[in-house]
C-alpha cells in the first residue's frame, strides 16, 4: 500500500466507523427498551419496596418517565463524553465498571486469539504439506472435533481433568483468593488461572484457522506462479513460505478480523464457566438484573472493538499483499 494514501484511507475508514458505531448505539438502545419488563420494578424489588410512589421516584431518578426519543438523545450525548450512565445494581458509573473489567476480557480474548491463529495456521500448513498422509488426517479429525464441540462442554471437561482429577490448574477466577502476591509470582498466578479459559475459547477458532489454512494453501499450490517458482529451482521451503503460505494468509487474515470481534461474544460463556471477571460476565449479570445501562455500555464497548479489529484487518491485508490497493 502506498504510504502517502494512508492518512486519507484512515480518515475515510474512521468516518465510516463513526457512522456504524452510531447506528449500532441507536439500534441497541431501541432494542433494549423494547424488551418486556420494567427496570423500575426490578430496582424496587431489590430494595424491598414496590409501592407506586417509590416506583415513580425511581422512574424520575433514572429518566425512565421521559419520552423514548428524549432518553435516546440524552444517552447519545452521554456516549460522546464517555458517560454511559449509572448502574442501579452496583451503584457505580457504567464506565467505571467497564474500565475495571475490560483488561481481564482483553487479556483472555487476546491470549485465545494469538493461540488460535498461530497454532491453527501452523497445523493447517503442516496438513497441507502432508496432504493425504496420516498427519493430515489426524489434524483434520482434531480440527473437526473441536469445531463441533460446544465451548461450555470443552471448558467443563478441562476443569474436570486438569482441576479436579490432576489438580494442576485452578478452575475459576483470575487470581488466587486470600493470597497476596507481587511481581513475577502474581504474573505466574494469573497465567495459571488464564490457561484453561484461554484454551477453551481458542480451541474452536484454532480448528477454523487450521481448516482454512489447509484449504487455501492447497488451492494456491496449484497456481501457475508456484509451478513457475518450482521450475526455476527455488527451494521447496522457500516456495511454501514466500509464495504459498503468504498468499494463503489473505483469506485467513480476513476471517481472523471478523472473528476477533466474535471472540468477545464467546468470552461471555467462557467467563461464566470459569468465573473470569471480564465484561462478558458483567453483561451476563446485568442481563439477569435488567441493568440496561450496563448492557448498553458493554454493547457500545464491544462494537468499538469490532470496528477497530476490522480496520486493523484492512491494514494487514494491504501489507501482506502489496497488490491490494486500500481505498476509502
Amino acid at each position: 500500500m502506498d504510504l502517502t494514501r494512508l492518512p486519507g484511507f484512515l480518515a475515510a475508514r474512521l468516518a465510516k466507523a463513526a457512522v456504524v458505531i452510531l447506528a449500532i448505539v441507536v439500534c441497541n438502545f431501541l432494542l433494549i427498551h423494547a424488551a418486556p419488563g420494567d427496570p423500575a420494578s426490578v430496582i424496587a424489588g431489590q430494595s424491598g419496596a414496590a409501592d407506586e410512589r417509590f416506583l415513580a421516584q425511581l422512574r424520575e431518578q433514572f429518566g425512565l418517565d421521559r419520552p423514548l426519543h428524549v432518553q435516546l438523545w440524552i444517552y447519545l450525548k452521554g456516549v460522546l463524553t464517555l458517560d454511559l450512565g449509572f448502574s442501579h445494581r452496583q451503584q457505580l458509573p457504567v464506565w467505571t465498571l467497564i474500565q475495571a473489567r475490560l483488561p481481564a476480557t482483553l487479556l483472555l480474548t487476546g491470549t485465545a486469539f494469538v493461540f488460535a491463529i498461530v497454532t491453527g495456521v501452523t497445523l493447517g500448513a503442516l496438513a497441507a504439506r502432508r496432504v493425504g498422509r496420516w498427519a493430515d488426517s489426524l489434524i483434520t479429525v482434531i480440527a473437526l472435533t473441536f469445531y463441533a464441540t460446544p465451548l461450555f462442554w470443552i471448558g467443563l471437561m478441562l476443569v474436570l481433568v486438569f482441576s479436579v482429577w490432576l489438580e494442576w490448574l485452578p478452575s475459576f477466577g483470575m487470581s488466587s483468593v486470600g493470597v497476596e502476591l507481587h511481581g513475577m509470582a502474581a504474573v505466574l498466578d494469573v497465567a495459571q488461572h488464564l490457561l484453561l479459559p484461554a484454551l477453551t475459547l481458542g480451541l474452536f477458532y484454532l480448528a477454523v484457522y487450521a481448516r482454512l489454512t489447509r484449504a487455501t494453501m492447497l488451492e494456491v499450490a496449484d497456481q501457475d506462479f508456484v509451478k513457475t517458482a518450482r521450475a526455476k529451482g527455488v527451494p521447496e521451503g522457500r516456495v511454501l513460505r514466500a509464495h504459498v503460505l503468504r498468499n494463503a494468509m489473505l483469506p485467513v487474515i480476513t476471517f481472523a478480523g471478523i472473528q476477533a470481534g466474535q471472540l468477545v461474544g464467546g468470552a461471555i460463556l467462557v467467563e461464566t464457566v470459569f468465573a473470569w471477571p471480564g465484561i462478558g460476565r458483567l453483561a451476563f449479570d446485568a442481563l439477569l438484573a435488567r441493568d440496561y445501562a450496563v448492557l448498553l455500555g458493554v454493547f457500545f464497548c464491544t462494537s468499538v472493538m469490532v470496528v477497530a479489529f476490522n480496520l486493523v484487518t484492512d491494514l494487514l491485508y494491504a501489507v501482506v499483499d502489496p497488490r491490494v490497493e486500500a481505498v476509502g
Side-chain angles (χ1 to χ4, degrees):
M1 179 175 61
D2 186 1
L3 293 180
T4 60
R5 301 184 59 184
L6 183 59
F9 167 74
L10 287 176
R13 293 292 297 178
L14 289 174
K16 292 179 182 179
V19 174
V20 170
I21 292 174
L22 176 62
I24 292 174
V25 168
V26 173
C27 290
N28 285 336
F29 184 89
L30 296 177
L31 288 174
I32 286 292
H33 283 74
D38 184 8
S41 300
V42 177
I43 301 172
Q46 294 173 350
S47 303
D51 59 273
E52 287 300 325
R53 169 181 272 182
F54 186 60
L55 288 174
Q57 291 176 350
L58 288 175
R59 292 190 183 99
E60 182 179 0
Q61 178 183 351
F62 292 100
L64 299 174
D65 58 338
R66 301 178 183 179
L68 185 60
H69 68 278
V70 176
Q71 296 183 47
L72 175 59
W73 175 244
I74 294 173
Y75 180 72
L76 289 176
K77 289 194 298 183
V79 168
L80 292 177
T81 59
L82 290 182
D83 180 9
L84 302 179
F86 191 82
S87 170
H88 66 77
R89 183 170 183 265
Q90 305 197 43
Q91 295 297 306
L92 286 171
V94 173
W95 181 241
T96 301
L97 292 172
I98 292 177
Q99 278 184 309
R101 301 288 193 99
L102 187 58
T105 294
L106 292 178
L107 176 62
L108 173 60
T109 55
T111 304
F113 180 74
V114 172
F115 163 73
I117 196 166
V118 171
T119 310
V121 169
T122 301
L123 291 177
L126 179 61
R129 191 167 185 177
R130 300 287 190 271
V131 62
R133 303 180 186 178
W134 67 268
D136 178 29
S137 301
L138 179 61
I139 293 173
T140 300
V141 170
I142 292 174
L144 291 176
T145 301
F146 287 138
Y147 182 78
T149 306
L151 282 178
F152 74 89
W153 191 88
I154 294 177
L156 293 176
M157 291 302 102
L158 289 177
V159 169
L160 183 62
V161 173
F162 292 101
S163 298
V164 178
W165 290 353
L166 300 176
E167 298 182 355
W168 288 354
L169 297 169
S171 60
F172 65 92
M174 186 176 176
S175 58
S176 298
V177 179
V179 180
E180 187 175 353
L181 300 173
H182 302 281
M184 186 57 64
V187 173
L188 293 176
D189 183 58
V190 173
Q192 287 183 329
H193 286 78
L194 174 65
L195 190 55
L196 289 184
L199 191 62
T200 301
L201 186 58
L203 283 175
F204 171 82
Y205 298 99
L206 177 152
V208 175
Y209 298 137
R211 295 291 298 163
L212 183 60
T213 302
R214 177 186 181 277
T216 51
M217 284 190 67
L218 292 178
E219 182 180 354
V220 172
D222 288 333
Q223 300 294 321
D224 291 338
F225 69 91
V226 177
K227 296 178 180 178
T228 302
R230 288 196 174 105
K232 290 181 178 180
V234 178
E236 184 65 19
R238 184 178 177 186
V239 170
L240 290 174
R241 290 191 305 271
H243 298 280
V244 178
L245 183 58
R246 181 171 182 176
N247 287 277
M249 286 297 293
L250 297 178
V252 174
I253 291 174
T254 302
F255 199 73
I258 297 172
Q259 296 229 316
Q262 296 178 358
L263 278 170
V264 179
I268 295 177
L269 182 58
V270 174
E271 288 178 3
T272 303
V273 171
F274 290 95
W276 187 264
I279 61 173
R281 181 66 183 273
L282 178 66
F284 180 77
D285 294 338
L287 178 63
L288 296 180
R290 294 185 184 276
D291 199 342
Y292 292 163
V294 174
L295 275 177
L296 287 173
V298 172
F299 291 160
F300 169 73
C301 236
T302 53
S303 64
V304 171
M305 291 169 62
V306 171
V307 171
F309 286 141
N310 287 331
L311 178 59
V312 172
T313 301
D314 289 342
L315 293 174
L316 288 178
Y317 201 94
V319 170
V320 172
D321 189 356
R323 298 170 301 174
V324 175
E325 288 287 340
V327 294

